[in-house]
Amino acid sequence: MNLTIEVNNNTIEAKQGETILDVLNRHGMSVPTLCHMKGLFPTGSCRMCVVEVEGRRNLVTACSEPVMPGMKIKTHSSRVIESRKTIVELLLSNHPDDCLYCERNGNCELQKLSEDLNVRERRISGTKNNYKLDVSSASIVRDPAKCILCGRCVRVCDEIEGVSAIEFVGRGSKTFIDTSFNHGLNLSTCINCGQCIMVCPTGALKEKPHISEIKNNLSDPSKTVVIQYAPSISVSLAEEFGFQPGHNIIGLMNAALRRIGFDFVFDTSFSADLTIMEEASELVHRITNQGVLPMITSCCPGWVKYAEEFSHDMLPHLSSCKSPQQMMGAIIKSYFAETEGLAPENIYSVSVMPCTAKKFEQQREEMTQNGISDVDAVLTTRELARLIRMHGIDINKLEPELADSPLGTRSSAGKLFGSSGGVMEAAIRTAHYFVTGKEMVKFQVKGVRGLEGRKEAFVQMGDLRVGVAVVSGLKNAADIIEEVRNGRSDIHFIEVMACPGGCINGGGQPIGADEDAIRARMRTLYDIDEKDAIKVSHKNPYIVELYDKFLGKPLGHKSHHLLHTHYQKRDIF
Ligand code: SF4
Ligand code: SF4
């Protein structure tokens, strides 16, 4: 039912059941928020979004207050602004004064609120927090001293990921965010997804930095430093340099990476094609040999750790394929090293990932050959942007360049890995070919596309009717796993990504992107697929050559040794 309300003396339409904040946003008006998270139940705890409602003695929180017919609202009265300003001053009263050194300087919501509300002096002095930095995790650094207790990280960890690695601890002014029993994040159930970083308004959460180590290796003449970048990076890095969301800057990125000093530049979409060759073969083998079904993808390291901790009964369902990052790492230090006449120990292998969990994956013991890591360091998209700026490179002035061959050549199926549903679509295309000996008439599998947290489809492959499901956000994964446990048997293959929408919205991507930006990134990946000539992994000529010259056949002895792995049950507190 529609109703009318008055906002700042203007009459506007509202719908029954909407909150004041919903209505304001729909009409292009804004009030500041801190604890609010779109799509999650409002708590109104930070009180930053307060507005004045005629007839009400106290200010009300716009995020949680439903609209009523005839409501008269003031969003920026003196009383409202003073109240918001006081909240910010209180938050600043015990906040560390080290903005100039902070990761989020220039991109901090607290800093912006302070600026917007014209906070120009310290009227309230509080005792500074003395919390320890938690650097125990391979992926995430927590700085509780910078935390303003908005609770967003706790909610995303619990309500989107279903992990609950962090929680409010203590009471009153002694409240802080911590892991169970005050153990470091590395001993918690944290799956390293980085979604908490994406929602944190301040610098209280950030990725574990790898830039210094990479710089040291770049200046070591004994090292050949190679870099690979994940399929989604070229469509998200652009935003760090002022381009429109979804703008594809792959050529400029290749050029920038060479200016920084990387000796070889490779595209992880190549090893995404390789993953598909192995994974589609594994799927067909399982289906035709009564193997464990449904098979579940294993390229998301956040999901893999979640399965090891919370769903170890599902580990036999996980594909044994390493992720594209690790496959590329293994191929670089074997096939590439051999063809270039390089010793694997003299290759320093870097990857750029949309993901903080990749920093954890890279350090897993299983991801080594003869004591040498497949991948040596991982940069997030944000860190790559920082590295480019650090080198004084004006990306706008570069001429586009191609990645190095052969490990920089991909099909468009490999590129689709960047979006939720992309691995599935790429795998279906190749599995169809393996089963029927024919290409699909139409390559698009519309049922697995889009940003929804759960998608299902059925695909005909000759006489086989294959059921597939795609989930992102591990709360959604938990639901479908429960269905499998309860005997659901019409689904043969499940793609799981920890981050909602997949890698285009990974925990290492630029901070502050809204849903429109994520959609724009996704659209670009599908546009690339639409335009490219080679749409299936098994037709990538360099993949064919890699099998001919080096690997033999998918699931063969060499592939098994280099490209497959195993998982382990992990105990949790
Ligand atoms: S990285 Fe993911 S799992 Fe770990 S605390 Fe943050 S949201 Fe939770
Ligand atoms: S760590 Fe960040 S997201 Fe979490 S409560 Fe503190 S300020 Fe909010």
Side-chain angles (χ1 to χ4, degrees):
M1 195 183 88
N2 284 355
L3 47 96
T4 53
I5 61 172
E6 202 180 286
V7 178
N8 304 333
N9 301 324
N10 296 305
T11 303
I12 61 172
E13 271 205 0
K15 294 184 188 121
Q16 195 163 25
E18 280 185 308
T19 63
I20 296 175
L21 187 66
D22 290 336
V23 179
L24 294 177
N25 288 344
R26 202 156 50 73
H27 286 274
M29 294 181 254
S30 68
V31 292
T33 57
L34 268 180
C35 67
H36 181 67
M37 294 176 76
K38 200 172 166 212
L40 298 189
F41 198 74
T43 61
S45 59
C46 74
R47 297 195 61 79
M48 187 57 67
C49 64
V50 284
V51 293
E52 206 169 344
V53 175
E54 194 175 284
R56 298 277 289 269
R57 196 156 60 92
N58 296 326
L59 298 178
V60 304
T61 48
C63 71
S64 58
E65 187 76 17
V67 284
M68 302 292 279
M71 217 175 206
K72 290 187 176 161
I73 298 164
K74 293 265 187 289
T75 60
H76 289 82
S77 66
S78 302
R79 185 180 166 209
V80 164
I81 290 176
E82 203 45 47
S83 166
R84 290 180 193 147
K85 195 169 174 178
T86 306
I87 294 169
V88 171
E89 287 177 315
L90 281 165
L91 291 173
L92 288 173
S93 69
N94 62 356
H95 200 77
D97 290 324
D98 64 353
C99 295
L100 284 178
Y101 304 96
C102 182
E103 199 90 352
R104 294 289 296 273
N105 188 21
N107 186 16
C108 166
E109 291 181 46
L110 183 60
Q111 201 178 46
K112 180 164 190 314
L113 278 172
S114 166
E115 171 67 21
D116 290 352
L117 290 163
N118 199 30
V119 176
R120 289 285 171 260
E121 58 180 322
R122 189 181 291 283
R123 285 194 304 163
I124 309 167
S125 281
T127 313
K128 299 285 178 212
N129 293 326
N130 201 15
Y131 301 120
K132 276 199 323 259
L133 210 62
D134 179 0
V135 293
S136 63
S137 159
S139 301
I140 317 276
V141 176
R142 291 195 320 119
D143 186 354
K146 290 182 184 161
C147 173
I148 57 171
L149 298 175
C150 69
R152 289 187 199 168
C153 56
V154 174
R155 297 195 68 190
V156 84
C157 191
D158 175 33
E159 295 176 43
I160 305 290
E161 299 302 348
V163 173
S164 303
I166 43 179
E167 195 39 279
F168 282 100
V169 173
R171 287 181 185 197
S173 63
K174 300 270 185 285
T175 307
F176 63 109
I177 307 284
D178 203 3
T179 53
S180 306
F181 307 113
N182 192 225
H183 290 308
L185 209 54
N186 62 330
L187 293 181
S188 76
T189 52
C190 173
I191 54 145
N192 305 293
C193 68
Q195 285 298 309
C196 50
I197 300 177
M198 301 304 282
V199 296
C200 181
T202 71
L205 291 159
K206 62 178 182 179
E207 67 269 76
K208 178 68 78 68
H210 284 188
I211 287 183
S212 302
E213 196 189 316
I214 291 168
K215 284 203 59 77
N216 290 343
N217 280 276
L218 280 167
S219 53
D220 180 345
S222 70
K223 296 284 183 198
T224 300
V225 186
V226 306
I227 192 160
Q228 56 166 308
Y229 48 75
S232 65
I233 306 300
S234 73
V235 301
S236 58
L237 181 69
E239 290 154 54
E240 288 274 354
F241 296 97
F243 294 96
Q244 284 299 310
H247 190 73
N248 183 17
I249 57 166
I250 194 152
L252 301 180
M253 181 169 75
N254 289 330
L257 292 170
R258 293 207 178 92
R259 299 299 175 281
I260 290 169
F262 291 100
D263 297 305
F264 292 90
V265 177
F266 297 135
D267 187 341
T268 315
S269 304
F270 171 87
S271 49
D273 282 336
L274 189 55
T275 306
I276 288 303
M277 293 297 286
E278 296 293 323
E279 206 165 60
S281 304
E282 188 183 355
L283 176 67
V284 173
H285 182 79
R286 287 190 192 214
I287 292 177
T288 51
N289 291 281
Q290 285 80 48
V292 179
L293 291 170
M295 189 171 97
I296 311 181
T297 55
S298 54
C299 32
C300 169
W303 150 243
V304 169
K305 186 163 185 260
Y306 179 96
E308 291 177 323
E309 289 177 343
F310 298 103
S311 306
H312 28 87
D313 56 322
M314 286 287 131
L315 292 180
H317 291 257
L318 264 65
S319 161
S320 62
C321 291
K322 287 182 181 174
S323 71
Q325 165 179 272
Q326 296 304 138
M327 282 200 185
M328 180 67 102
I331 291 296
I332 285 171
K333 293 203 180 172
S334 56
Y335 175 66
F336 171 75
E338 211 172 284
T339 50
E340 291 293 318
L342 297 165
E345 59 273 25
N346 289 336
I347 297 177
Y348 188 75
S349 181
V350 180
S351 67
V352 188
M353 292 287 136
C355 174
T356 45
K358 291 283 172 192
K359 291 179 186 262
F360 170 80
E361 180 184 53
Q362 165 256 324
Q363 294 184 12
R364 289 180 70 121
E365 217 179 305
E366 305 85 25
M367 302 299 168
T368 56
Q369 306 290 329
N370 307 320
I372 299 173
S373 297
D374 291 342
V375 175
D376 297 294
V378 179
L379 294 170
T380 60
T381 316
R382 298 187 290 270
E383 284 178 291
L384 174 59
R386 226 167 280 148
L387 194 63
I388 292 172
R389 284 193 280 267
M390 195 186 274
H391 281 79
I393 296 166
D394 182 350
I395 206 157
N396 289 287
K397 300 239 166 75
L398 298 176
E399 284 299 318
E401 294 177 12
L402 292 173
D404 286 298
S405 206
L407 309 185
T409 307
R410 56 154 184 81
S411 76
S412 63
K415 193 75 178 166
L416 292 184
F417 267 57
S419 179
S420 157
V423 179
M424 180 59 75
E425 189 164 336
I428 287 171
R429 292 178 187 183
T430 290
H432 183 281
Y433 180 75
F434 286 168
V435 170
T436 66
K438 294 184 195 138
E439 300 297 353
M440 292 171 79
V441 181
K442 267 180 152 180
F443 287 114
Q444 297 102 327
V445 186
K446 293 259 164 67
V448 300
R449 294 187 173 190
L451 289 182
E452 297 76 32
R454 176 169 177 163
K455 295 161 279 187
E456 289 185 17
F458 289 91
V459 185
Q460 204 63 38
M461 298 182 187
D463 295 337
L464 275 180
R465 187 172 189 259
V466 179
V468 299
V470 171
V471 287
S472 63
L474 294 181
K475 200 88 176 191
N476 292 319
D479 290 345
I480 199 159
I481 283 167
E482 204 46 39
E483 289 169 29
V484 170
R485 282 193 188 115
N486 291 333
R488 184 161 181 200
S489 60
D490 58 336
I491 297 291
H492 301 88
F493 191 22
I494 304 176
E495 178 201 294
V496 182
M497 296 289 162
C499 296
C503 306
I504 43 174
N505 189 29
Q509 295 283 31
I511 286 173
D514 59 12
E515 199 181 309
D516 290 343
I518 311 298
R519 271 188 200 287
R521 295 172 189 169
M522 181 181 68
R523 258 197 315 274
T524 305
L525 294 179
Y526 288 121
D527 285 350
I528 291 170
D529 181 52
E530 199 62 41
K531 288 180 193 132
D532 275 15
I534 302 178
K535 294 191 190 330
V536 287
S537 302
H538 52 275
K539 287 276 161 68
N540 179 337
Y542 293 102
I543 289 286
V544 175
E545 186 180 296
L546 180 65
Y547 278 103
D548 282 351
K549 286 192 175 163
F550 183 69
L551 287 173
K553 58 179 184 160
L555 306 185
H557 177 71
K558 213 162 193 171
S559 293
H560 185 78
H561 174 63
L562 286 170
L563 309 179
H564 290 255
T565 186
H566 58 276
Y567 313 102
Q568 50 180 306
K569 173 179 183 279
R570 286 173 195 268
D571 292 327
I572 54 172
F573 286 114

